Amino acid sequence: MLIDTHVHLDDPRYDPDRDAIFQRAKEAGVEKFVTIGCDLSTSHAAVQLATSQSNVYATIGVHPHEVKRIEPNWYAEFRKLAQQRKVVAFGEIGLDYHYDHSPRETQRQRFREQIELAQSLSLPLVIHTREAQEDTMAILQEAHAEKVGGVFHCFSEDLAFAKRALDLGFHLSFSGIITFRNASQLHEVIRTVPDDRLLIETDAPYLTPVPFRGKRNESSYVTYVAEQIAKIKYGDTDTGLARVAELTTNNACQLFKISS
């Protein structure tokens, strides 16, 4: 069994064939999904999907791109959503200095607020960081984020940052990026990640792995991420793939408190 720990199942690009996507995922051995909230409306959509599908779980939160839009009532709404049984984490939240769709000071302030909210709800964090290593880590450390832990999703940083994230007690999740030709740095990171801190994801509909790069991503393709990790860590895709499936599924179930 595989778990896609980060997917945007509410994305409109899935509206024409969402049922078929679930079926293809099942045929590929992907049996559970964590669908991600990026603002208040997508968090509601994530929870609605999780409520209607027995094998889907939800996160809630505001992506750094969207934090400039936070309204005074949003955090109260998130507290209500968090009472739903299928809500398993808070995120994706963090900092993104590549696009700066929200002002950097606003990003930092909202990041702190959302960590505090997640801690009050006893929810692990789903972290997005891009070109913001130092500020991301500083805020997590200042906020004692290790109390709830969580995952750096779509990990794409260097070995030094990976060590700091692991030292803070966080998991690292890898996406289709590791199948790209220029991903040798990430391969080095994967070799060092302890088995009990490793997760896999698609971030679908984004970051489609080779051999489908350039097309819409979907959860069935998380198998290509698992196969690549098997090659990197264990040297093969037979016994290695079974091991990756087992450990990443166990890790996801423990972090997100999902029954296996």
Side-chain angles (χ1 to χ4, degrees):
M1 182 177 80
L2 297 169
I3 298 179
D4 185 356
T5 63
H6 195 108
V7 57
H8 301 272
L9 288 171
D10 67 298
D11 193 282
R13 280 167 280 192
Y14 295 137
D15 288 349
D17 62 343
R18 192 170 282 106
D19 289 342
I21 285 167
F22 281 120
Q23 183 59 36
R24 286 193 292 271
K26 182 178 180 180
E27 291 169 358
V30 184
E31 297 189 12
K32 295 181 188 295
F33 314 80
V34 180
T35 191
I36 305 298
C38 290
D39 60 13
L40 186 57
S41 64
T42 57
S43 295
H44 273 289
V47 172
Q48 185 175 12
L49 267 166
T51 302
S52 65
Q53 300 280 347
S54 63
N55 57 350
V56 175
Y57 299 82
T59 76
I60 57 175
V62 188
H63 190 286
H65 289 347
E66 308 299 332
V67 292
K68 64 185 177 184
R69 301 195 298 109
I70 291 177
E71 299 287 343
N73 66 314
W74 280 26
Y75 290 164
E77 287 295 313
F78 283 131
R79 286 190 178 277
K80 292 178 184 177
L81 282 174
Q83 304 312 308
Q84 299 291 324
R85 180 179 59 86
K86 301 289 286 295
V87 172
V88 297
F90 204 99
E92 63 186 282
I93 64 174
L95 304 175
D96 192 311
Y97 292 172
H98 179 75
Y99 288 109
D100 285 327
H101 287 327
S102 291
R104 292 186 180 184
E105 183 52 44
T106 301
Q107 290 189 50
R108 290 188 287 267
Q109 181 59 33
R110 296 308 195 186
F111 189 26
R112 294 185 184 97
E113 292 169 359
Q114 292 189 88
I115 294 170
E116 182 178 351
L117 178 54
Q119 289 172 326
S120 72
L121 296 168
S122 298
L123 288 173
L125 305 168
V126 178
I127 303 298
H128 171 109
T129 181
R130 188 170 185 187
E131 298 177 18
Q133 283 191 1
E134 293 306 317
D135 283 355
T136 299
M137 189 58 66
I139 290 171
L140 288 169
Q141 290 173 333
E142 290 165 7
H144 299 289
E146 70 277 2
K147 292 179 180 178
V148 289
V151 55
F152 282 82
H153 108 88
C154 188
F155 191 84
S156 55
E157 307 295 338
D158 58 19
L159 190 59
F161 189 82
K163 185 179 185 306
R164 295 170 71 186
L166 292 166
D167 287 346
L168 197 61
F170 275 68
H171 292 63
L172 306 184
S173 182
F174 295 90
S175 70
I177 291 175
I178 67 170
T179 69
F180 298 174
R181 205 178 313 174
N182 61 348
S184 57
Q185 176 180 276
L186 287 178
H187 294 189
E188 182 182 5
V189 173
I190 288 168
R191 292 186 188 98
T192 70
V193 178
D195 283 356
D196 63 351
R197 302 287 193 84
L198 185 66
L199 295 174
I200 55 174
E201 64 173 88
T202 58
D203 199 18
Y206 314 104
L207 302 178
T208 312
V210 174
F212 302 105
R213 193 173 181 186
K215 300 180 180 179
R216 182 194 69 177
N217 201 3
E218 61 179 69
S219 287
S220 62
Y221 297 162
V222 80
T223 56
Y224 293 92
V225 180
E227 287 174 356
Q228 185 74 333
I229 292 175
K231 291 177 185 177
I232 295 165
K233 284 184 78 73
Y234 305 112
D236 69 81
T237 57
D238 295 324
T239 57
L241 180 57
R243 178 65 178 140
V244 170
E246 179 184 23
L247 67 91
T248 57
T249 294
N250 289 342
N251 294 344
C253 289
Q254 290 178 13
L255 176 63
F256 297 123
K257 296 181 174 61
I258 295 171
S259 58
S260 57

